[in-house]
Amino acid sequence: FFFFFFFQAEDGIRDAQESRGLGDVYKRQVSTQSTGVQERKSMGQCCAGAKDSDAPRSSSIADPLYADGSTLRLLYRNVAAYSCHGFSGGREKQNQDRGALVLNFAGNPEQVMLLVCDGHGPNGADASEGVISTFLDSTAQNQVLAKCRESGKDALMEELGKLIREAEESVFISRRKGRSSGTTFTAVIVCGEDLAFTANVGDSRSCIAVEDPDGGFDAVDLTVDHVAAGNAQERERIEKAGGRISKFGGSHRVMSPTGECALAPTRSVGDIEFGQTVVIADPEVTEVKLTAAHKYIVTASDGLWEFLDRQTVMNQVVNCENVSGAAMDLVKYSQSEWFKTCGGYCDDISLVVCELPFKNWMDMRDTLPNDLAEQGDKKIQTVRRSENQEVIRCHTLTGLQN
């Protein structure tokens, strides 16, 4: 018995090709003679793209587009946080990504968090916005997270899992804002100069640049994608939990109990109809020992990773004159690859980047007298360092970044 899947694109009906990437997950009505299944998958999974094209060119942007007086503007050489909507049929679509750089995470000036949530489904923007805002509201005074180093991996896994599930309960069950939708959750918590923790749900991704003895850089993944297509352990977990996985469009999907929806990721915050013991919101938490060789961290939605591998991304970051310039170039290049490969479709793209050790650039804010700094012929108001958690949302980009 075979199902034949076709999805309605703006430029006509296109057969679903075999999955190459791990892609964003969004909900799209599937047009077929035999079923009415709704599939949450990536356009990138239906557009065979290559990663062997030329790497983005290095540039140094004069204007990082951040607002005058913002922390991002002040620190644009050392950090970046951008989010750009995607396109469908060549027209702008709603951005379902959310991201943030969090300074003084949980009220600890020795901690910084990078966080990206990639929503999917008909209410994907509500899903990602609800989860990231609810989660960050709960972390500001959290005593376990305020002392990540002392708490340790096991306690962090328990506490982060609790807060993520509470966000899921609030957004998807109590308020039902993200009904029939869900979001990824990918975070890196950096603790001082020698320790970091990652927490991952779904298929957004974090990686780190490590300098080798010869002065080159290697890119190393910090997280593992939770997807039915490429993670055998996750497929086994789904089946043991009583879930069902089927192969559609050349790629494995998790099926809802009714068989009406198919989902690419095996873990998600939300997607309640798949069963909370099947598609779980439990984060996979890892501990990372940092050294002087660790130079940059990138956390991004899969709109970035679909056509750019980790080494290409990190090469751009380490070779650019400033981090925000590198991040902007990566957005531009990723958009061009989406359009070149998928016609009028491009996924949402969000990334948060920071240079290590963060103490070097955090201290910059303390050197500015009277909260004023000169920027060309302007005086700008700067944000002074405090003990309070400071949430810096991704700067929103619109249109094609040419």
Side-chain angles (χ1 to χ4, degrees), residues 50-64:
K51 292 185 176 180
D52 58 357
S53 52
D54 294 336
R57 292 192 300 265
S58 178
S59 71
S60 58
I61 55 177
D63 186 355

Side-chain angles (χ1 to χ4, degrees), residues 24-95:
D24 179 29
V25 281
Y26 66 91
K27 193 168 184 177
R28 179 174 287 270
Q29 191 73 35
V30 177
S31 174
T32 173
Q33 285 87 14
S34 56
T35 79
V37 177
Q38 294 176 332
E39 189 173 12
R40 300 177 189 177
K41 66 180 181 180
S42 165
M43 186 66 126
Q45 291 175 326
C46 300
C47 300
K51 292 185 176 180
D52 58 357
S53 52
D54 294 336
R57 292 192 300 265
S58 178
S59 71
S60 58
I61 55 177
D63 186 355
L65 304 180
Y66 305 133
D68 282 355
S70 67
T71 302
L72 287 176
R73 182 80 183 211
L74 175 66
L75 301 174
Y76 79 99
R77 295 183 180 278
N78 311 95
V79 303
Y82 290 116
S83 183
C84 191
H85 61 78
F87 296 81
S88 183
R91 295 190 292 270
E92 296 179 5
K93 68 182 187 70
Q94 184 182 35
N95 190 350

Side-chain angles (χ1 to χ4, degrees), residues 86-131:
F87 296 81
S88 183
R91 295 190 292 270
E92 296 179 5
K93 68 182 187 70
Q94 184 182 35
N95 190 350
Q96 296 184 316
D97 285 1
R98 298 293 185 271
L101 175 69
V102 186
L103 308 184
N104 306 330
F105 176 64
N108 186 341
E110 298 301 317
Q111 296 182 165
V112 168
M113 171 184 265
L114 296 77
L115 174 60
V116 167
C117 293
D118 180 356
H120 53 266
N123 300 298
D126 288 332
S128 58
E129 177 59 37
V131 168

Side-chain angles (χ1 to χ4, degrees), residues 164-360:
I164 291 171
R165 287 188 292 274
E166 287 175 354
E168 182 179 65
E169 170 73 26
S170 173
V171 175
F172 300 97
I173 299 176
S174 299
R175 287 185 284 161
R176 302 177 74 176
K177 284 282 287 182
R179 185 166 175 77
S180 298
S181 303
T183 182
T184 69
F185 180 101
T186 303
V188 180
I189 305 170
V190 184
C191 307
E193 299 184 22
D194 61 349
L195 185 64
F197 296 94
T198 71
N200 185 49
V201 179
D203 63 353
S204 295
R205 192 180 307 165
S206 296
C207 70
I208 194 166
V210 185
E211 188 174 16
D212 62 40
D214 297 327
F217 287 87
D218 295 320
V220 179
D221 283 336
L222 293 176
T223 57
V224 176
D225 295 348
H226 300 133
V227 286
N231 192 321
Q233 289 182 331
E234 282 294 289
R235 288 202 299 271
E236 182 180 358
R237 182 191 61 75
I238 290 284
E239 291 167 350
K240 285 184 177 179
R244 181 164 62 93
I245 291 179
S246 295
K247 195 171 185 180
F248 294 119
S251 182
H252 290 90
R253 300 279 190 266
V254 183
M255 299 303 299
S256 65
T258 62
E260 295 178 350
C261 281
L263 186 66
T266 55
R267 300 192 191 196
S268 172
V269 189
D271 293 303
I272 303 300
E273 67 267 43
F274 285 82
Q276 290 175 283
T277 60
V278 177
V279 176
I280 60 176
D282 297 345
E284 183 174 2
V285 175
T286 64
E287 180 176 329
V288 183
K289 301 295 185 183
L290 300 178
T291 69
H294 294 91
K295 298 299 185 181
Y296 298 92
I297 294 175
V298 176
T299 297
S301 63
D302 67 336
L304 179 76
W305 303 115
E306 189 70 30
F307 295 106
L308 298 178
D309 60 38
R310 63 178 183 263
Q311 194 63 51
T312 299
V313 168
M314 281 307 185
N315 285 347
Q316 181 68 8
V317 172
V318 301
N319 290 319
C320 206
E321 292 183 15
N322 64 78
V323 170
S324 290
M328 184 68 79
D329 287 338
L330 289 168
V331 172
K332 293 176 185 178
Y333 184 72
S334 187
Q335 283 183 333
S336 70
E337 289 298 290
W338 275 101
F339 274 94
K340 182 168 65 177
T341 306
C342 300
Y345 184 83
C346 174
D347 198 5
D348 306 328
I349 301 168
S350 299
L351 71 164
V352 182
V353 188
C354 85
E355 183 181 9
L356 298 175
F358 68 79
K359 182 179 183 298
N360 291 348

